[in-house]
Amino acid sequence: MKGFWRDAVEFFPILLNGVALTIVVTVGSLLLSTVLGLVWAMMRVSGIKALSMLSASLINVIRGIPIIVLLFYLYFVMPDLGVTLTALQAAILGLGIAYSAYQAENFRAGIEAIDKGQIEAAQSIGMGWWLTMRRVVLPQAVRIVLPPYGNVMIMMLKDSSQASTITVAELALQGKLIASSTFKNTSVFTLVALMYLTMSIPLILLVRHFEKRARKR
Amino acid sequence: MIELNDVHKSFGKVEVLKGITASVEKGEVVCIIGPSGSGKSTILRCINGLESYDRGEISVEGLKVDRDAPSIVNIRTQVSMVFQRFNLFPHRTVLENVIEGPLFVKKEPRAQVLERGRALLAQVGLAEKADAHPPQLSGGQQQRVAIARALAMQPKAILFDEPTSALDPELVGEVLGVMRKLADDGMTMVVVTHEMGFARDVADRVLFIDGGVIVEQGPAKALLNQPQHSRTQDFLRRVLHPL
């Protein structure tokens, strides 16, 4: 145990650099997946068949490709097509695109949970599609969507470790590098696990808060 | 004011409206009665453009109702609708429900809209509930808010789609009372209802619809007291003397 604390003091600052990159990848891909997910969901519920089918196809394609393959594709294949991305850019783009499919289905479920009668009432007072969305559907859908959205945040935080496969020196890769040069696997990976857990706990509490609020309504 | 000319409407292979021709004059109260599934609500929904129709023509003050045309917004601001299940916005307060349309669709000044919203809530007897949320109200109160929301648009006519059918019996009177007052004030109203007493006392005309066609129409008292058609007689007998 004493050895562990000594290792922790030694490795913590290096791992902290990894934490910074983990946060950058998580936040960046979370934002991107939210925006893309909203776009896919809006296309799905637009009532325009071509947009709805395009969105459904996109979601299925994205869902059907493993995140790691998507990351490899963006980082290793795109340069062949003339688009070179940094490892960080590819990681954010890949995770953002991968998770946009789940976000879209989550947002769509929230939107479709709103009673059709309310949408008709909005139309009957002259509201168009966008005004109905903005004033009636989305404010209510947000409350339904928040608990699963929180879960997606936790999953993204953990899946940001997949960025290590394309050389982003986030927490998991930093740990691996230290472990392979010091052979102190137990100390390093325990420390890495604890650091992921520490970042996850506030998010877990946030999800619990969202769930409580959703139940109250 | 509202004209329907040979209106046909099908849902899949089922033809729900089989050539409806009718008109509603300004200031008139017309009740539509008939068995379930006869197409009563569909008529209202077609007038408001919530449903499209396949053939014929519906016009409001000379403007053709086409749910896909931009003019539908104009028609909807002139012809409001009150629904069976109220369809209030639960995340907004009662007052916000009432002012939503004038504020965001008609873009009227906020102060003016707020003043009118409060006056309308007072008119339907709910001034003290302005800051409550719909789920905190009884069904009758919610329906009165829905009527205030319809009135806030300052419509030329209001369509009522079975406004008391979802209410407990003891709450029906308060809603019918508000509607009766509106009729007395000269509001043009088309009411789909099973409340024969209301139709007899308040309506100018009654249309009896069965199987997607108007079987019989005429002045309310005459049609309800002395129906001419056997289907109307049979329907009224079943409604008025269910046992």
Side-chain angles (χ1 to χ4, degrees), chain B residues 51-85:
Chain B
E51 298 284 356
S52 58
Y53 49 97
D54 308 326
R55 252 190 314 138
E57 186 168 310
I58 302 176
S59 63
V60 174
E61 298 236 287
L63 200 60
K64 187 184 172 191
V65 176
D66 176 356
R67 63 173 286 173
D68 298 320
S71 60
I72 194 66
V73 173
N74 188 10
I75 288 170
R76 284 171 174 161
T77 56
Q78 292 183 52
V79 182
S80 292
M81 186 140 172
V82 173
F83 298 86
Q84 183 178 350
R85 300 208 59 83

Side-chain angles (χ1 to χ4, degrees), chain B residues 146-159:
Chain B
I147 294 173
R149 176 173 69 180
L151 286 169
M153 296 300 286
Q154 299 183 307
K156 291 178 178 161
I158 303 183
L159 312 173

Side-chain angles (χ1 to χ4, degrees), chain A residues 25-177:
Chain A
V25 171
T26 305
V27 172
S29 51
L30 182 69
L31 290 177
L32 182 64
S33 69
T34 304
V35 173
L36 287 178
L38 261 177
V39 173
W40 309 148
M42 288 298 185
M43 285 165 69
R44 265 321 272 281
V45 300
S46 65
I48 301 167
K49 212 170 174 183
L51 285 182
S52 177
M53 279 171 63
L54 177 65
S55 164
S57 309
L58 275 170
I59 288 170
N60 284 336
V61 168
I62 294 169
R63 271 200 299 208
I65 300 174
I67 294 176
I68 199 166
V69 176
L70 202 58
L71 292 176
F72 288 162
Y73 208 89
L74 286 169
Y75 192 56
F76 299 120
V77 180
M78 291 305 271
D80 294 345
L81 305 172
V83 182
T84 307
L85 299 168
T86 65
L88 184 61
Q89 286 168 341
I92 290 174
L93 201 58
L95 280 163
I97 291 171
Y99 269 91
S100 70
Y102 303 103
Q103 299 275 36
E105 290 297 89
N106 180 21
F107 294 152
R108 182 171 71 99
I111 290 168
E112 288 183 345
I114 306 303
D115 177 26
K116 293 270 178 294
Q118 285 184 46
I119 295 167
E120 290 192 341
Q123 289 175 342
S124 79
I125 54 173
M127 284 191 180
W129 186 85
W130 176 237
L131 195 55
T132 303
M133 277 289 156
R134 189 164 67 83
R135 297 291 308 168
V136 178
V137 177
L138 292 180
Q140 295 182 79
V142 163
R143 286 176 197 154
I144 299 168
V145 158
L146 274 181
Y149 186 82
N151 280 325
V152 166
M153 285 162 71
I154 297 168
M155 283 160 63
M156 290 189 86
L157 173 69
K158 293 186 295 175
D159 271 345
S160 67
S161 60
Q162 301 211 40
S164 63
T165 58
I166 54 168
T167 74
V168 177
E170 45 66 68
L171 181 54
L173 183 56
Q174 290 284 13
K176 195 178 158 207
L177 292 174

Side-chain angles (χ1 to χ4, degrees), chain A residues 7 10-11 14 174-189:
Chain A
D7 292 342
E10 186 185 346
F11 302 143
I14 311 168
Q174 290 284 13
K176 195 178 158 207
L177 292 174
I178 298 170
S180 58
S181 61
T182 62
F183 300 107
K184 292 183 171 170
N185 289 324
T186 309
S187 296
V188 172
F189 288 119

